[in-house]
Amino acid sequence: MYIDPQWRILTVGDGDLSFSNALFRHHAPQHLTATIYDSLNTLQSKYGDDFHQQLLNCHCQVLTEFDITNPETWSTVAKHSFDLVIFQFPLVPGFTSKSEFNEKCAGIGINTLNRRLLRQFLINASEQLLDPTGPQLCYITSKDVKPYSEWNIQHSLILNTDINYLGEMNFDIVNFPGYRVRNVDRDKHVKDTKGITYVWSQRAGNQLTQALSAQLTQPPILGDDCCHYCQAGPFTSDQHKQAHENSRKHLRMKDFEQQWLADLQTA
């Protein structure tokens, strides 16, 4: 993950605040505001208060009950005051009951709910949090395992927006000593699988700094002989293509994409 020490950074939904603490201590950005979705009481009961106190002692702003999908929770954040907004391993919270599941997933699936969350993050951060005179960067770090790998992060989130997908870079947790990836609902340490940081901006790729550009891998260009749902191919024959399209993985990904496109039309 490339961090410029001159950047003003906001972290979103940082569970136990261990990422923000590691970011501040080992990368020393010009300014850091750390946010969590939980209340202070919930933070203390789930994870303890150590990282919160360490950030406060370093004069970092820490905001609780911050919901990236709800600007009404941002009362103490100045608009257009950041260069980079980071969302680490986002995932919608689990449901506490069957009735809550039925209410929130009516007509859609959890895959679409997660994509909604990430799309709202990108739009709200770009329109309201990022300084239009700065690099205007959004980072989402995710995993290469289910369900994260089924969200089509690179291609599906910014349809019908003026936000550009710029590429991806490896996320190495070793560069953030003390960071513990947490489960979204429990005081558990999540297994360190391979992390990938995806990068977006309202600026075009050719406006990136050379240092950031050097870190990014561009997505492959898929032709007509490839599957755009699964990012697979090119296929060597019609039989090869047909076998893929009949596979369980393809049918699952096709269903996710169709649900997502239908949801965008009704948004």
Side-chain angles (χ1 to χ4, degrees):
M1 178 184 285
Y2 176 78
I3 300 293
D4 187 319
Q6 297 302 312
W7 285 344
R8 301 157 294 169
I9 300 176
L10 175 78
T11 59
V12 172
D14 183 19
D16 64 356
L17 293 168
S18 63
F19 173 73
S20 299
N21 189 64
L23 172 63
F24 183 82
R25 291 184 177 276
H26 299 283
H27 298 272
Q30 177 189 149
H31 171 85
L32 175 65
T33 293
T35 75
I36 61 172
Y37 182 76
D38 288 330
S39 68
L40 179 57
N41 286 339
T42 301
L43 167 72
Q44 292 169 336
S45 64
K46 286 169 68 174
Y47 307 119
D49 203 30
D50 290 348
F51 296 117
H52 177 225
Q53 290 301 323
Q54 289 179 48
L55 288 168
L56 293 181
N57 291 338
C58 294
H59 307 290
C60 287
Q61 184 182 28
V62 180
L63 305 178
T64 60
E65 299 182 81
F66 182 96
D67 182 351
I68 190 61
T69 70
N70 181 8
E72 293 180 2
T73 68
W74 309 352
S75 59
T76 57
V77 175
K79 291 186 67 173
H80 304 147
S81 59
F82 298 96
D83 301 304
L84 167 65
V85 184
I86 305 175
F87 205 167
Q88 289 289 108
F89 302 106
L91 189 69
V92 295
F95 304 105
T96 58
S97 66
K98 185 176 181 179
S99 60
E100 183 187 12
F101 173 84
N102 291 337
E103 176 187 353
K104 293 186 176 180
C105 290
I108 61 172
I110 295 177
N111 182 283
T112 294
L113 281 183
N114 278 294
R115 295 198 204 198
R116 276 186 186 175
L117 170 64
L118 302 191
R119 179 179 171 88
Q120 287 179 299
F121 161 73
L122 292 172
I123 292 174
N124 288 343
S126 298
E127 293 181 352
Q128 303 192 48
L129 296 172
L130 292 170
D131 183 348
T133 67
Q136 298 177 277
L137 291 165
C138 292
Y139 288 179
I140 295 175
T141 302
S142 192
K143 301 189 179 194
D144 61 347
V145 296
K146 295 179 182 179
Y148 316 95
S149 59
E150 297 178 328
W151 297 342
N152 192 9
I153 286 179
Q154 304 97 314
H155 305 283
S156 70
L157 303 179
I158 55 173
L159 296 173
N160 305 320
T161 74
D162 59 355
I163 303 170
N164 303 294
Y165 176 66
L166 302 179
E168 66 186 53
M169 51 190 162
N170 290 332
F171 177 78
D172 190 345
I173 199 169
V174 171
N175 295 323
F176 295 83
Y179 175 32
R180 293 176 286 186
V181 183
R182 296 289 193 173
N183 183 287
V184 71
D185 292 311
R186 302 187 303 275
D187 180 12
K188 300 293 183 183
H189 176 58
V190 177
K191 182 180 179 181
D192 295 331
T193 56
K194 178 182 177 183
I196 302 170
T197 298
Y198 302 92
V199 181
W200 292 262
S201 177
Q202 286 183 299
R203 293 186 177 275
N206 59 12
Q207 295 175 307
L208 295 178
T209 64
Q210 184 176 359
L212 176 56
S213 295
Q215 299 291 322
L216 295 178
T217 300
Q218 302 302 317
I221 298 175
L222 299 179
D224 293 338
D225 56 349
C226 299
C227 175
H228 292 249
Y229 293 140
C230 306
Q231 307 299 301
F235 301 115
T236 57
S237 66
D238 289 342
Q239 291 82 359
H240 184 197
K241 180 179 180 181
Q242 190 62 50
H244 172 79
E245 292 179 347
N246 290 335
S247 68
R248 181 178 299 178
K249 175 184 176 181
H250 173 80
L251 295 175
R252 181 177 173 87
M253 291 298 293
K254 181 179 179 181
D255 186 47
F256 286 150
E257 292 301 316
Q258 290 176 340
Q259 288 180 34
W260 175 240
L261 293 175
D263 191 66
L264 288 179
Q265 292 177 354
T266 60

